[in-house]
Amino acid sequence: MTRIGRVDLIGGGPGPLDLLTLRAWRRLTDADVVVMDRLGPVDIRSELKPDAEVIDVGKHPGHHPVPQDRINALLIDRARAGLHVVRLKGGDPFVFGRGGEEVAACLAAGIPVEVVPGITSAVAVPQAAGIPVTHRGVATAVHVVHGQTELTASTRAALRDEQVTTVILMGVSALPRIVADALRAGVPADRPVAIVERGHHHDQRTTRSTLGDIVLDAGRTRIRNPAVIVVGDVARADLLLPSAGVANGVVP
Ligand code: SAH
């Protein structure tokens, strides 16, 4: 009988290979099968065993090429064949990554599964633009949400609270709705907003604005996915460097 394999659910971080943890990289280099996403590290072939199988199940916003239950079935199937399966995800598997569902599916099927944490874009993408999500005296809490559903009461409260940074993932296409909802909820129009596209990539771009102006500005600069939206005082351009502002993506 074939020995049962296993699944490692690995957080790949925001994109560059050297933002993988050492543990994630070690698992990756030992994998027989890598099931990967569109976000996170994509140039991994040279790190893998020569005969490793790579399966891309990358999702684009709005269309889902490989449904979640098919991904779960794929992981289980390959592990049952005795293989070491790495499920490589962007950022951290447990931050809007559906990692919990994949772990539950493996456990239900009796497949050993382990999670390797990754650097989440919720923190690392603002960071790449010089934005600390907390900052002494400015922001004492962080509220992380995805932008794909109606704002909840807690998100409205976070947006209104001057001491809270709100970080929105998957929010680009819903930006006009999010902004309208926030303004209706009484968030001041001059609340700083920054949108960081393709954080930690060579073509990273940061757009800074305010809640009142961001929809126009985002339209003008044609903001695209993947991007992280940061709302709060930490998004001010002069936060870390009062006179000159922080250069795009670089903290001097
Ligand atoms: N598990 C991931 C998040 C998955 S949701 C994590 O912890 O980072 C996907 C969203 O993450 C994207 O829509 C975008 O909002 C954000 N994202 C991921 N990588 C990004 C990057 N390099 N630059 C900007 N946004 C990114």
Side-chain angles (χ1 to χ4, degrees):
M1 212 182 100
T2 335
R3 270 188 47 213
I4 201 159
R6 67 175 212 270
V7 173
D8 286 329
L9 218 67
I10 285 178
L17 204 60
D18 61 355
L19 287 179
L20 277 172
T21 66
L22 210 46
R23 186 181 301 178
W25 182 79
R26 284 188 180 130
R27 305 286 174 101
L28 200 60
T29 56
D30 179 65
D32 301 311
V33 185
V34 179
V35 180
M36 61 185 286
D37 277 334
R38 183 179 56 100
L39 292 177
V42 287
D43 274 338
I44 54 163
R45 187 76 250 187
S46 58
E47 309 301 313
L48 306 181
K49 293 197 293 197
D51 55 347
E53 181 190 13
V54 178
I55 305 171
D56 186 354
V57 293
K59 300 184 184 76
H60 294 264
H63 25 118
H64 298 252
V66 183
Q68 188 63 49
D69 55 350
R70 288 262 316 279
I71 296 176
N72 297 352
L74 191 66
L75 301 177
I76 292 164
D77 201 59
R78 295 294 197 281
R80 279 204 177 124
L83 300 171
H84 175 200
V85 183
V86 160
R87 172 69 174 114
L88 180 63
K89 291 180 159 294
D92 184 274
F94 279 6
V95 179
F96 301 129
R98 304 193 72 168
E101 292 166 55
E102 292 174 9
V103 168
C106 290
L107 292 177
I111 306 291
V113 56
E114 241 188 273
V115 180
V116 179
I119 296 180
T120 180
S121 63
V123 175
V125 168
Q127 171 275 315
I131 301 171
V133 291
T134 70
H135 193 63
R136 197 173 166 82
V138 178
T140 55
V142 192
H143 184 82
V144 180
V145 287
H146 69 75
Q148 300 199 317
T149 52
E150 287 273 290
L151 299 188
T152 61
S154 67
T155 297
R156 292 196 188 105
L159 287 164
R160 269 194 304 262
D161 189 332
E162 283 184 8
Q163 292 276 320
V164 176
T165 303
T166 302
V167 175
I168 305 168
L169 305 186
M170 296 180 274
V172 170
S173 56
L175 186 67
R177 171 178 55 73
I178 294 167
V179 167
D181 192 334
L183 291 170
R184 257 197 321 275
V187 184
D190 63 355
R191 197 110 164 85
V193 177
I195 303 186
V196 187
E197 297 166 81
R198 299 190 50 75
H200 287 284
H201 289 80
H202 65 92
D203 52 353
Q204 173 182 317
R205 181 172 70 154
T206 306
T207 303
R208 294 185 196 258
S209 183
T210 59
L211 194 65
D213 291 337
I214 188 63
V215 173
L216 260 182
D217 288 343
R220 219 182 344 255
T221 56
R222 296 175 188 280
I223 284 178
R224 309 236 326 255
N225 275 307
V228 170
I229 303 168
V230 185
V231 184
D233 276 349
V234 292
R236 273 186 356 235
D238 62 353
L239 180 79
L240 300 184
L241 200 63
S243 50
V246 175
N248 192 5
V250 182
V251 186

